[in-house]
Amino acid sequence: GNTPQAVITRLTDFIGRIQMPPLWALGYQQSKFSYVPESAARNLADEFRNRDIPCDVIWFDIDYMDGFRIFTFDPIGFPDPATLNNDLHNMGYKTVWMINPGVKAESGYFISDQGTAGDHWVYDSNSNPYVGQVWPGAANFPDYTRPATRTWWAGLYAGYMSTGIDGVWNDLNEPGIFDGPGHTMPESNLHRGGGGLTPGTQSQYHNVYGMLMSQASHEGISATNPNKRPFVLSRASFIGGHRYAAMWTGDNIADWTHLGWSNAMTLNIGLSGQPFAGPDLGGFVGDGTADLFARWMGVGVFMPFCRAHQDNIGVDKEPWSFGASVEATSRTAIQRRYRLLPYMYTLFRESSVNGLPVVRPVFFADLTDASLREEDTAFLLGADLLVVPNLTQNSGAAPTPSLPTGSWRTISLVGENSATDVNQPDLRVRDGAIIPAGPVMEFTGEMPLDPLTLIVSLDSTGNAQGDLYEDAGEGLTYQSGDYRLARYTATQSGTTVTVSVQTLEGTMATPTRQVVVEVVTDSGVFSATGTDVANGVIANVAL
């Protein structure tokens, strides 16, 4: 390829590209190790809605299980998971629950019995089922290199997902072993392979174990809910694993160094073909500080995967946990994300077509500027938005990031002022771009995209354009053309900017909605209101 972008597109020609995720998976998500019993999750759900902070997903870590036995529920803390899921659905939430690979080695436990009967376990060097210590104690581990084992594993999700679970979280799938060498399996363990995978040791298959697990999980969830888009999150993966699961960067630490590393890690994962990734916002291990949490929330809302998470020791890390000021900062940050969801969803669609990442290094904006190539504090969201955060503890000593030249104009989405609020990154739109934005909402399905806001930044010739992709946000009908890809254009003539639209692809009808056009200039913002159409002029804006 002649450009980095072309290289990534060619790479994903070989390793595959993501399917469209469900729209809810792009919303803000809240996790903890762990929200138990179920009343804690219900209280959390109420808090978000009562505090007017958007949230789409509540996560359930291992403590929901009966003695850490996967595919079970604690009969005391979670006596009726189906009712819990249904109640949370009625409030606009989706739920994601954890499944690890370690199966408690216990006669009478149905997963253990099935795995032994089907000969599904990884062997030790003596060709006996390997036993390692994880959360439930002594455990066996599925040999995902075996097609029969992946099929068995996939089938376990049918009853599990029938409780109304929306997504699955595969953790400790390196695999993590508490008493193993290097906290994983011995390299001499044996995998038997099949279906094109040759028999080999753990040293051969260690790096793909997590991806093979998420593949089996993905296939099981898809078979159980064939009319829904599967969502799996995986801690371990391999190149090509984005076809099966999103990923996060693992158990980070609540300190300023790990905040600084988050952007670089997510950017590098994107350059490897995985566009759906992000860190634990706030840091998983350790308390951190109020300032750190506020700063992490400010930048974290622009990551493709946006979830706050924490361990089971120390302070809580919900948006309101550090007091009223940080709560207000977090609310503003999350509302910024929700306003940008139409743009971000369009970027995910672009990634599904050409493999380009959702977040991109700034050198993508100017491949000839060598000074941009080491910049990993500022980053691009798609090709048209530049995110410039301050990731240093001492705001007065923040280094000046290397930024692309051009007329990148600062925009405000919910009345925030990044010049006076160090926690909100400066958000700049490229000249010549149109950014589609929506209203603030409590969760992604709360209301339609009405009004649609078009943020216009004209180039030096008085022109701009941008695309908007829309579909049902769930289901697979988009694969047969049930979507709308529209291109909005702006042209200046004298002191008037005319904004028009052309439907490029798809059979979805043009929504009946109001369109607010905001032309951002060096001297201010000029606006007008019109109505969306399939093809034609939407509005004229007087400058």
Side-chain angles (χ1 to χ4, degrees):
N2 294 324
T3 65
Q5 293 92 324
V7 170
I8 294 174
T9 295
R10 293 197 66 200
L11 170 67
T12 55
D13 284 340
F14 291 104
I15 65 175
R17 301 185 176 109
I18 62 166
Q19 296 179 352
M20 284 300 294
L23 179 59
W24 59 260
L26 274 60
Y28 175 76
Q29 312 186 32
Q30 187 68 48
S31 183
K32 179 183 178 180
F33 177 22
S34 298
Y35 290 116
V36 290
E38 70 164 50
S39 59
R42 292 180 181 275
N43 290 338
L44 177 76
D46 288 337
E47 285 291 330
F48 272 101
R49 297 296 182 249
N50 292 338
R51 293 174 184 269
D52 195 29
I53 300 175
C55 181
D56 263 83
V57 188
I58 294 176
W59 290 64
F60 293 88
D61 212 313
I62 56 174
D63 292 304
Y64 78 84
M65 302 176 192
D66 183 8
F68 303 126
R69 297 171 182 87
I70 57 173
F71 295 103
T72 70
F73 300 90
D74 173 17
I76 304 301
F78 292 84
D80 189 352
T83 296
L84 172 62
N85 283 320
N86 184 66
D87 291 346
L88 291 174
H89 290 163
N90 289 336
M91 297 178 67
Y93 293 100
K94 305 295 184 183
T95 65
V96 178
W97 302 63
M98 180 183 282
I99 292 290
N100 293 333
V103 178
K104 185 176 178 63
E106 178 183 61
S107 177
Y109 166 39
F110 74 105
I111 306 293
S112 181
D113 291 345
Q114 290 180 21
T116 299
D119 195 20
H120 292 306
W121 307 131
V122 172
Y123 285 176
D124 63 20
S125 59
N126 295 317
S127 296
N128 297 313
Y130 169 73
V131 178
Q133 295 288 323
V134 283
W135 293 112
N140 301 122
F141 297 82
D143 182 357
Y144 297 112
T145 68
R146 302 177 69 243
T149 298
R150 293 199 302 274
T151 298
W152 165 69
W153 182 263
L156 296 175
Y157 282 101
Y160 185 69
M161 303 298 290
S162 69
T163 62
I165 289 171
D166 299 289
V168 171
W169 177 11
N170 287 164
D171 194 14
L172 281 182
N173 52 349
E174 291 78 25
I177 312 290
F178 295 168
D179 63 340
H183 298 290
T184 190
M185 285 185 185
E187 291 188 19
S188 57
N189 275 7
L190 302 175
H191 298 268
R192 285 163 284 160
L197 295 179
T198 60
T201 62
Q202 172 67 8
S203 62
Q204 177 180 346
Y205 281 109
H206 172 81
N207 285 358
V208 298
Y209 189 88
M211 180 181 74
L212 292 174
M213 178 189 181
S214 61
Q215 177 186 357
S217 298
H218 180 279
E219 290 171 353
I221 295 168
S222 297
T224 300
N225 295 316
N227 296 319
K228 293 183 178 181
R229 303 178 194 177
F231 177 78
V232 180
L233 182 78
S234 180
R235 189 167 85 177
S237 195
F238 190 74
I239 196 165
H242 58 280
R243 293 170 294 169
Y244 313 118
M247 65 181 294
W248 89 106
T249 58
D251 295 347
N252 56 4
I253 296 173
D255 66 25
W256 291 92
T257 300
H258 278 234
L259 169 60
W261 287 347
S262 294
N263 289 3
M265 294 177 76
T266 306
L267 289 169
N268 281 329
I269 291 168
L271 293 175
S272 302
Q274 166 59 286
F276 203 178
D280 282 340
L281 306 189
F284 177 72
V285 177
D287 291 348
T289 64
D291 288 344
L292 174 67
F293 185 83
R295 201 73 55 82
W296 216 320
M297 290 294 288
V299 67
V301 297
F302 299 109
M303 294 289 109
F305 176 65
C306 180
R307 180 188 72 163
H309 189 37
Q310 66 184 90
D311 64 10
N312 54 0
I313 301 173
V315 302
D316 289 336
K317 290 177 185 172
E318 288 85 43
W320 51 86
S321 298
F322 290 90
S325 176
V326 176
E327 177 181 348
T329 291
S330 299
R331 181 184 295 105
T332 295
I334 297 170
Q335 287 178 345
R336 294 179 94 187
R337 180 182 183 87
Y338 276 73
R339 287 222 63 201
L340 285 177
L341 283 181
Y343 177 67
M344 297 186 75
Y345 196 59
T346 302
L347 295 178
F348 271 87
R349 196 269 177 174
E350 180 184 2
S351 187
S352 75
V353 173
N354 62 22
L356 291 181
V358 173
V359 291
R360 306 169 187 179
V362 293
F363 71 79
F364 271 33
D366 185 354
L367 302 179
T368 66
D369 186 349
S371 69
L372 301 178
R373 296 179 188 176
E374 294 186 5
E375 176 60 45
D376 58 15
T377 296
F379 57 91
L380 294 169
L381 185 59
D384 296 334
L385 277 179
L386 178 63
V387 182
V388 187
N390 182 341
L391 304 184
T392 59
Q393 183 173 5
N394 183 349
S395 60
T400 301
S402 297
L403 301 178
T405 58
S407 298
W408 295 82
R409 297 183 174 98
T410 294
I411 61 172
S412 175
L413 295 170
V414 290
E416 78 285 356
N417 186 344
S418 57
T420 58
D421 184 353
V422 69
N423 297 312
Q424 307 296 345
D426 189 12
L427 193 61
R428 306 180 188 180
V429 60
R430 180 182 60 82
D431 59 323
I434 297 178
I435 304 297
V440 172
M441 56 186 73
E442 296 296 288
F443 55 93
T444 53
E446 184 185 23
M447 63 183 71
L449 177 52
D450 188 4
L452 166 67
T453 299
L454 300 176
I455 302 171
V456 179
S457 181
L458 300 171
D459 64 15
S460 59
T461 67
N463 294 286
Q465 73 174 32
D467 293 347
L468 171 64
Y469 172 83
E470 299 173 272
D471 62 23
E474 180 58 281
L476 304 178
T477 59
Y478 75 95
Q479 296 177 349
S480 57
D482 184 21
Y483 64 88
R484 179 179 184 243
L485 178 64
R487 176 159 296 164
Y488 296 87
T489 59
T491 302
Q492 181 178 358
S493 178
T495 58
T496 300
V497 177
T498 299
V499 177
S500 304
V501 61
Q502 178 185 6
T503 299
L504 300 179
E505 297 179 18
T507 61
M508 176 180 284
T510 302
T512 301
R513 64 185 169 206
Q514 185 182 63
V515 178
V516 177
V517 178
E518 297 179 352
V519 179
V520 181
T521 72
D522 296 334
S523 58
V525 179
F526 302 85
S527 63
T529 301
T531 302
D532 211 354
V533 294
N535 296 283
V537 175
I538 293 175
N540 292 300
V541 183
L543 300 182

